[in-house]
Amino acid sequence: MRRLLIHLGNIGHLIVKELRSIRADPVMLLLVVYAFSVAVYTVATGVKLEARDLTIGVVDEDRSELSRTLLGAFGPPLFKVARVIPASAIDAEMDAGRLVFVLEIPPNFQADLMAGRRTGLQLNIDATAMTQAGNGSVYIQQIIAQEIARATAGREATSTTPVDVVVRARFNPNLDSGWFSSVMQILNNVTLLTIVLTGAALIREREQGTVEHLLVMPVTAVEIMLAKMAANGLVILVAALASLTLVVEWWLGVPVAGSLALFAFGAAIYAFTVAALGILLGTLATTMGQFGLLAIPVFVVTQLLSGATTPMESMPVWLQWTMRLISPTPHFVALAQGVLYRGAGLDVVWPEIAKIVAIGGAYFAFALVRFRKVIFA
């Protein structure tokens, strides 16, 4: 028991030392504040996945009442006011990027439609931005179908089928991508900054020569590692919770459905895991530049294949299993989405927590071996 207290006391003193080192680095502190405040807000308000203010042109060769109705159906907020253009201007307008969609209405469109003859419309799409093009084309087809149904029925009808489909959007009733991107940005920052701060703390000790001071002190490799991981993880965890409360809930107005305490518990375990990864990368690099080059691809791969950017289900099955086996990020994303969006409790998310613990234990063991070999050799 006495030996355990000695170890805990050493870790406590080392944590204080690490916190003082972080406080003495104003650039790093400014980066943390910016990442969890301005960056979260700008991403949530500036990166929109839904279609807004799309540009559309209409080639009206019919000049009928129905074609004018279709022209007036495209407006804010989904579309900017539709522009009537000649057919000869289609290529020039789309090549210059001034129009994303061009709808061509052929001659005698309304007459053929009312007479029951087969007719059609052509929609030209600039598919450079695939998400925007896909969402916009769906909206245009729905608008056209609705207006044609009204014209052919002669009354305000919205469907020609005997079945009414009622859509109920849960957890994000307004389908606002800002609700999603704001929380995911916090998760991304937790991953990136925990790796950077922990690895940079080790690299800084080696570059400044202060690691030799630790080697002559009565402390073990485990104590030094745990202190660096705990101090840097604590800073990121406090910043993440403050961002979730002040920026996401208060500033952006995004409701948090679940328990912040449960999220903080899972985030603390995840921060421990990625901090061990930061220590591991710090032992593989000898300079801050090398560490940065190692950290960037690791972060990019873990985030792009975590489910925070694209659904895990859209990936190949072998890649899904690989990422869930070697990376804790997919499990943390699933945990955060379950708790913060759907109000899930511990009984639902405990498998994800257990997986993060298992992967974190493997990371810590590997990092400890490398730490002893590189620092205490």
Side-chain angles (χ1 to χ4, degrees):
M1 184 65 181
R2 181 173 177 274
R3 190 173 183 84
L4 176 61
L5 292 177
I6 292 175
H7 285 309
L8 292 177
N10 291 340
I11 293 173
H13 291 304
L14 290 171
I15 289 175
V16 173
K17 179 191 79 69
E18 293 295 330
L19 291 175
R20 287 176 176 171
S21 298
I22 296 172
R23 186 184 63 182
D25 191 345
V27 175
M28 189 65 73
L29 285 176
L30 183 61
L31 173 63
V32 173
V33 172
Y34 168 80
F36 284 102
S37 57
V38 177
V40 173
Y41 179 81
T42 52
V43 168
T45 56
V47 180
K48 292 293 185 179
L49 302 179
E50 63 268 17
R52 286 291 186 274
D53 294 326
L54 300 176
T55 54
I56 182 170
V58 177
V59 178
D60 187 3
E61 297 181 339
D62 188 29
R63 305 287 180 176
S64 64
E65 181 182 354
L66 179 57
S67 66
R68 288 190 294 272
T69 301
L70 290 176
L71 179 63
F74 302 110
L78 297 181
F79 299 91
K80 294 181 179 179
V81 177
R83 292 169 47 197
V84 178
I85 62 172
S88 58
I90 294 177
D91 291 341
E93 293 290 329
M94 298 193 73
D95 290 345
R98 290 188 290 267
L99 292 176
V100 178
F101 304 94
V102 174
L103 177 66
E104 295 187 62
I105 304 176
N108 303 317
F109 172 70
Q110 181 176 357
D112 291 341
L113 183 66
M114 295 304 178
R117 292 189 292 269
R118 189 174 184 84
T119 185
L121 299 170
Q122 178 170 302
L123 180 63
N124 302 283
I125 303 174
D126 179 357
T128 305
M130 294 179 295
T131 302
Q132 176 181 252
N135 292 340
S137 63
V138 172
Y139 293 144
I140 292 173
Q141 292 178 62
Q142 291 176 346
I143 291 172
I144 292 174
Q146 183 181 35
E147 295 302 328
I148 290 177
R150 289 176 179 175
T152 54
R155 61 183 184 275
E156 295 293 318
T158 58
S159 176
T160 58
T161 65
V163 179
D164 290 331
V165 179
V166 179
V167 178
R168 180 189 179 194
R170 299 188 62 188
F171 315 121
N172 188 354
N174 296 324
L175 302 179
D176 186 352
S177 62
W179 289 25
F180 175 79
S181 57
S182 59
V183 175
M184 293 303 103
Q185 183 65 20
I186 291 179
L187 305 190
N188 292 344
N189 290 339
V190 169
T191 304
L192 174 62
L193 292 179
T194 304
I195 293 175
V196 169
L197 260 66
T198 310
L202 178 59
I203 297 293
R204 185 168 54 246
E205 297 262 22
R206 296 174 65 184
E207 288 185 338
Q208 296 176 352
T210 55
V211 70
E212 284 78 7
H213 299 169
L214 295 175
L215 298 181
V216 299
M217 295 175 63
V219 293
T220 64
V222 175
E223 292 171 353
I224 297 174
M225 270 190 61
L226 286 176
K228 291 186 179 297
M229 293 165 60
N232 291 281
L234 178 62
V235 171
I236 298 303
L237 183 61
V238 171
L241 292 176
S243 177
L244 190 61
T245 303
L246 299 178
V247 179
V248 174
E249 278 195 285
W250 178 71
W251 197 358
L252 294 172
V254 179
V256 174
S259 168
L260 281 178
L262 180 57
F263 171 75
F265 176 69
I269 298 175
Y270 177 73
F272 175 88
T273 302
V274 291
L277 179 58
I279 292 289
L280 176 60
L281 295 179
T283 61
L284 296 174
T286 56
T287 65
M288 200 67 77
Q290 290 181 357
F291 173 73
L293 293 176
L294 280 174
I296 289 173
V298 170
F299 169 74
V300 169
V301 171
T302 55
Q303 289 309 117
L304 290 180
L305 302 178
S306 66
T309 304
T310 58
M312 292 290 293
E313 293 77 13
S314 64
M315 305 176 194
V317 175
W318 67 268
L319 186 57
Q320 294 181 39
W321 282 100
T322 301
M323 291 307 299
R324 289 189 172 111
L325 181 64
I326 67 174
S327 174
T329 311
H331 307 293
F332 180 54
V333 170
L335 180 150
Q337 291 179 350
V339 173
L340 300 179
Y341 290 132
R342 298 186 287 273
L346 183 61
D347 57 325
V348 175
V349 299
W350 73 262
E352 305 300 336
I353 295 178
K355 293 169 186 175
I356 295 174
V357 170
I359 297 174
Y363 279 6
F364 182 81
F366 191 24
L368 181 59
V369 171
R370 286 288 307 169
F371 188 81
R372 284 173 171 164
K373 181 179 179 180
V374 174
I375 306 300
F376 282 78

